[in-house]
Amino acid sequence: MQYSSQAPEGTPHHHAPEEEWQALVDSATPACRQLVAEVADRHAEALSDRFYAVMMAHPRASAFLAHDVVHERLRASMARWIREIYGDRPSEVATLVAHQRHVGEVHARIQLPIHLVARGARTLKRTLVEHLTAACGDPVLRQEAERYAGLLMDLAQELMSEAYMRNTQRGARTDEAYRLFSLGQNMSVERERQRSVLLEWGQELLFALHRSPTPGALPRLAHSEFGLWFNHKAAAMFEGAPELDSITEIIERVDDTLLPQLSGHDQQVGHPIPQLIMTLQTELDNLKFQLNTLFERQLEVENGRDTLTRLLNRRFLPSVMSREIKLANERHTQFALLLIDVDHFKRINDEEGHDAGDMVLQQAAMLVLNSVRNGDFVFRYGGEELLVMLVEVTPPVAQRIAQDLCERFAAADFLVGQGRKLHVTVSVGVAVYDGHPDFQHLINRADQAMYEAKQGGRNQVCLAR
């Protein structure tokens, strides 16, 4: 949901957000900006308290804001946010715009209903106007200040909403991909089918050209089996993929330029049939390349597994964590993250070679998989880092499992080819779900704990505070 706000006079609506924000700031008189900045600074904490009082009165907000840590942190960050957007610091516009987008992304990540954000913004605007009315006796200046403050709030909310919707749509696509992965759909079969029908169209076209030197109307690519699939299914399946536009352009060039020339209706001097066929073949080769890239991108999602370790791909982590947070809240259970980092992995790559490093990661993944329960999740988090989600565990159990993993690594022999063995240890950070609705908060805690384990000498477990 976006607020509809009127841009300052002379400010086009198509300007970039940074330009629009700067234009709005520049349109206000210095006296107006100073008044709004002073009132916002003086009442920031009270405005924050009022905002959360109204939000907490809504029954749906309690699921997102009742947690003590969230409440304490958000009250302070809300006060800072109020001072930031109303502060008289036009040189920081790019940072302000980026911050609004970040806030929108966080709202989407914790699935905070956007109408609750709009409700809070409306409360802030109304309360700020009350403070401006009390602080300024000049009706002209007060009216300008109220309009300026309201437009700034609208613009900030618009940027948040844009980021919210973009992140929500991306998350929905990933959720659907995870669902397809879980159901065992096979995109490889679809890829081969479309390659086949594209080849059939090409053969049909060549037969038509060979039957007659002036064959008349040729079968259009857009109307072929491939074209119908692409226009009606691929656009939805691969929404947002850059290859879609490239394939669309190729189809249009083939149908609107090459086929009329080949059919004899629009042959030009210097464009004989053999040359046109070569051009057509080049276009089709490019189309096949784009199609293959399109499917490869989707297969990475559908397969859902890291190609080296065969662990779950980290892009499914938001979907899995969001679901576990929901289950933990509904069932009043806990879950934990173990972030595992292979110690001195760069040294292994440098001294033993990257092939040896890959073998270590493959064996590390297998060791972890064999050490956790069937209901737990194991991800390749990145580089030499693995992430384990232990479902329905208490903090002592999570720490015991992490310690057991650490000891198993230290006791294992890692084969790196030609009969050579390596001694490998890991540093493990443990973070137990504490009720915070943003899964990134839990990941950050596990990451910090892992960092402390490495700083403490490696080959050890550290529990997040």
Side-chain angles (χ1 to χ4, degrees):
M1 174 178 178
Q2 292 187 349
Y3 285 85
S4 58
S5 61
Q6 180 181 355
E9 293 183 4
T11 302
H13 285 276
H14 61 270
H15 276 184
E18 292 83 0
E19 296 176 1
E20 189 173 353
W21 195 300
Q22 187 66 60
L24 179 54
V25 171
D26 293 341
S27 71
T29 62
C32 170
R33 292 200 301 266
Q34 182 178 359
L35 172 62
V36 172
E38 290 177 352
V39 170
D41 180 63
R42 187 182 315 132
H43 299 285
E45 281 75 18
L47 286 165
S48 178
D49 289 342
R50 176 62 179 161
F51 175 86
Y52 283 111
V54 171
M55 291 283 278
M56 291 300 294
H58 195 287
R60 290 197 62 186
S62 59
F64 303 92
L65 303 175
H67 187 263
D68 291 341
V69 175
V70 179
H71 189 58
E72 291 171 7
R73 291 183 179 179
L74 287 183
R75 286 181 68 257
S77 63
M78 171 61 76
R80 285 195 303 272
W81 179 79
I82 292 168
R83 291 188 172 100
E84 285 174 0
I85 68 166
Y86 290 122
D88 192 8
R89 294 183 293 274
S91 62
E92 298 179 9
V93 163
T95 302
L96 286 171
V97 168
H99 189 202
Q100 310 320 305
R101 287 172 170 155
H102 172 71
V103 171
E105 290 170 358
V106 172
H107 288 167
R109 199 158 61 222
I110 68 175
Q111 301 177 17
L112 178 66
I114 199 168
H115 68 85
L116 291 181
V117 180
R119 174 189 176 94
R122 188 174 69 250
T123 299
L124 276 181
K125 286 171 65 174
R126 185 172 61 248
T127 309
L128 184 58
V129 165
E130 294 172 359
H131 288 302
L132 287 170
T133 301
C136 181
D138 183 345
V140 176
L141 178 58
R142 184 174 67 244
Q143 184 177 13
E144 182 191 4
E146 291 174 358
R147 178 178 179 275
Y148 172 67
L151 288 176
L152 270 182
M153 178 68 70
D154 288 346
L155 183 53
Q157 291 300 309
E158 184 177 318
L159 290 167
M160 289 182 196
S161 298
E162 178 187 3
Y164 182 99
M165 295 305 297
R166 184 172 59 248
N167 235 50
T168 299
Q169 290 166 356
R170 185 186 305 124
R173 289 196 295 272
T174 303
D175 288 345
E176 178 63 11
Y178 181 64
R179 186 185 70 83
L180 291 174
F181 158 69
S182 301
L183 293 174
Q185 299 296 311
N186 193 343
M187 291 294 286
S188 297
V189 173
E190 187 64 45
R191 177 174 60 179
E192 295 309 312
R193 181 184 297 119
Q194 296 312 316
R195 284 175 174 171
S196 176
V197 296
L198 187 58
L199 177 62
E200 289 176 3
W201 176 84
Q203 292 174 337
E204 180 185 353
L205 177 64
L206 290 176
F207 288 153
L209 288 172
H210 283 296
R211 279 196 298 267
S212 169
T214 54
L218 294 170
R220 290 174 62 84
L221 183 54
H223 296 162
S224 67
E225 287 287 321
F226 171 81
L228 294 175
W229 169 84
F230 179 79
N231 289 322
H232 293 276
K233 288 189 175 181
M237 291 170 61
F238 305 107
E239 181 183 2
E243 292 81 14
L244 290 177
D245 290 338
S246 298
I247 294 176
T248 299
E249 292 170 3
I250 292 171
I251 293 174
E252 291 174 352
R253 286 197 299 269
V254 168
D255 285 349
D256 299 338
T257 302
L258 289 174
L259 292 188
Q261 292 175 350
L262 284 167
S263 67
H265 297 309
D266 189 26
Q267 289 193 33
Q268 301 293 325
V269 177
H271 290 283
I273 291 293
Q275 183 177 336
L276 290 172
I277 290 178
M278 288 182 62
T279 303
L280 174 64
Q281 188 60 54
T282 300
E283 292 283 16
L284 291 180
D285 287 343
N286 187 18
L287 191 154
K288 291 173 185 174
F289 172 78
Q290 297 291 341
L291 183 66
N292 188 64
T293 304
L294 189 67
F295 271 101
E296 287 296 329
R297 186 192 305 276
Q298 184 65 19
L299 281 167
E300 289 178 5
V301 177
E302 187 195 55
N303 289 339
R305 298 197 182 277
D306 173 65
T307 54
L308 176 65
T309 63
R310 306 305 298 158
L311 299 178
L312 282 170
N313 192 306
R314 68 176 288 176
R315 72 184 303 164
F316 286 148
L317 187 58
S319 298
V320 174
M321 288 199 66
S322 295
R323 185 172 183 274
E324 288 302 318
I325 287 175
K326 180 180 179 182
L327 287 174
N329 290 334
E330 289 176 351
R331 300 176 182 179
H332 306 290
T333 58
Q334 290 181 296
F335 67 93
L337 295 186
L338 311 184
L339 194 53
I340 304 166
D341 184 89
V342 177
D343 294 332
H344 302 298
F345 187 73
K346 184 178 184 301
R347 183 188 302 170
I348 296 174
N349 276 334
D350 292 343
E351 296 179 358
E352 304 291 338
H354 287 277
D355 287 344
D358 288 348
M359 293 178 69
V360 167
L361 286 178
Q362 288 172 332
Q363 293 168 77
M366 189 58 62
L367 190 155
V368 173
L369 281 172
N370 290 334
S371 302
V372 298
R373 299 163 300 174
N374 199 38
D376 298 324
F377 297 85
V378 185
F379 297 83
R380 169 90 181 273
Y381 191 65
E384 67 275 22
E385 293 179 352
L386 309 179
L387 187 145
V388 180
M389 178 185 293
L390 301 173
V391 300
E392 297 191 21
V393 292
T394 60
V397 172
Q399 191 166 12
R400 186 170 68 247
I401 293 173
Q403 189 61 48
D404 180 60
L405 266 174
C406 197
E407 293 172 1
R408 289 192 181 196
F409 269 91
D413 288 326
F414 286 77
L415 304 177
V416 292
Q418 299 179 344
R420 290 176 297 146
K421 300 178 181 179
L422 288 183
H423 178 66
V424 175
T425 62
V426 292
S427 300
V428 186
V430 182
V432 180
Y433 176 60
D434 63 357
H436 197 295
D438 186 356
F439 63 80
Q440 189 61 51
H441 171 75
L442 186 59
I443 295 174
N444 291 343
R445 290 177 59 225
D447 185 66
Q448 180 60 35
M450 184 194 71
Y451 177 78
E452 291 176 6
K454 295 180 76 69
Q455 290 296 105
R458 296 182 171 85
N459 189 25
Q460 60 182 276
V461 173
C462 185
L463 182 65
R465 292 186 291 272

